[in-house]
Amino acid sequence: MNLHWWAFWYAMAFLTRLPTPYLKRVDDAVAARSLVFYPLIGCLLGLSLLAFTAAGFFYNPQVSLLLLAALLLSIWVAFSGALHLDGLADSADAWVGGLGNKERTLAIMKDPQSGPMGVTVVVVVLLVKFAAIYALLDKASGVNGSWNIWLLLAGFMLVPMLARGSVPGLLATTPYVRKKGLASALVAGATPLVVGITGTLLALLAGVFLQTQALFILALWLTILMMARAAMIKRLGGCTGDTLGATIEIQEALLLAAIAL
């Protein structure tokens, strides 16, 4: 099997809890190439959310949107095994407990236990996501059973793709500060070609799904990334796997809310 095949399954195994075949090849080259498939993983998450939404309304056209939103959020979290939420909690604890010190911040990130700040930030982010999912369902559901499928595609597919597709760009422009961390092998895959192709593809999809609102959402996306990168550089001098996961979660919450609004 070629490198791309192993890289795809590596990305699946790393970013999701979906069943994958046994990986006979796991090395730095496979990990680096897996970055190419990060937007595709977001697309698979989006397809799962859309399929569950369709199944829910097929089963009961009068299904409670609040209940459906809660179930969709559960699927969203379970898809990655809360991997990115763990990074968010660790980063929040470290940013507060680190007291501006790089070494202390990095040390706190390694602590598997979550403190009050980490728990609080996770709850707030999940609350924003839940409210945004409900708002999207409410806005997309029209009269006489008609649906605004483009709005659902933007919220449930484009947003996960944008969030995961940002990782190559962040790794390409931000030093990785740990000598041997979970994402250290990915850095070599963040080439200008990968970043350019990923960014172009996501911009085109945004134009298709959002049309006149695409420029605003893309500008917001880039603003979030620049602010996150600036915060990482200021505190750590670069990024870690935890801060990348935290950035994914923050992007999803804010972009979902912006599209819903």
Side-chain angles (χ1 to χ4, degrees):
M1 296 182 183
N2 62 33
L3 179 62
H4 286 88
W5 175 263
W6 292 122
F8 168 72
W9 288 115
Y10 182 96
M12 283 280 288
F14 185 56
L15 293 179
T16 81
R17 289 298 175 265
L18 298 179
T20 60
Y22 175 71
L23 296 178
K24 295 182 180 179
R25 178 181 174 183
V26 179
D27 52 41
D28 287 352
V30 171
R33 189 61 58 89
S34 70
L35 274 182
V36 175
F37 298 102
Y38 273 40
L40 178 58
I41 301 302
C43 179
L44 293 177
L45 169 57
L47 289 174
S48 301
L49 297 171
L50 291 168
F52 188 85
T53 302
F57 276 92
F58 179 80
Y59 177 75
N60 178 13
Q62 304 302 318
V63 65
S64 165
L65 294 185
L66 280 173
L67 176 58
L68 184 57
L71 293 173
L72 287 171
L73 179 59
S74 299
I75 293 172
W76 206 312
V77 172
F79 186 87
S80 67
L83 173 67
H84 311 309
L85 286 172
D86 179 69
L88 177 65
D90 288 344
S91 298
D93 283 334
W95 239 252
V96 174
L99 302 175
N101 181 270
K102 173 183 176 180
E103 286 71 25
R104 181 176 172 83
T105 301
L106 290 173
I108 293 174
M109 283 185 186
K110 286 188 174 182
D111 189 342
Q113 297 181 334
S114 292
M117 183 57 65
V119 173
T120 300
V121 171
V122 167
V123 169
V124 170
V125 167
L126 289 177
L127 180 62
V128 172
K129 274 191 174 182
F130 169 74
I133 291 171
Y134 172 77
L136 279 172
L137 291 171
D138 186 49
K139 290 184 68 174
S141 58
V143 295
N144 300 322
S146 62
W147 279 82
N148 184 346
I149 187 62
W150 296 109
L151 186 59
L152 292 181
L153 284 169
F156 294 161
M157 183 174 290
L158 179 64
V159 166
M161 292 182 71
L162 286 172
R164 285 151 187 80
S166 68
V167 174
L170 286 172
L171 285 174
T173 59
T174 314
Y176 191 76
V177 298
R178 295 197 189 276
K179 292 183 179 179
K180 197 63 179 177
L182 279 176
S184 58
L186 303 178
V187 177
T191 63
L193 179 61
V194 170
V195 174
I197 291 176
T198 300
T200 301
L201 172 64
L202 293 173
L204 290 174
L205 287 176
V208 172
F209 294 157
L210 291 167
Q211 299 177 15
T212 57
Q213 296 177 331
L215 288 178
F216 170 73
I217 295 300
L218 289 173
L220 176 62
W221 178 50
L222 292 175
T223 300
I224 295 170
L225 293 179
M226 288 189 292
M227 292 178 66
R229 181 184 180 277
M232 294 180 217
I233 293 292
K234 182 178 180 180
R235 172 62 68 91
L236 302 175
C239 65
T240 69
D242 282 329
T243 60
L244 292 175
T247 305
I248 287 175
E249 286 293 337
I250 292 170
Q251 286 176 82
E252 287 183 339
L254 294 180
L255 292 174
L256 271 174
I259 292 173
L261 288 171

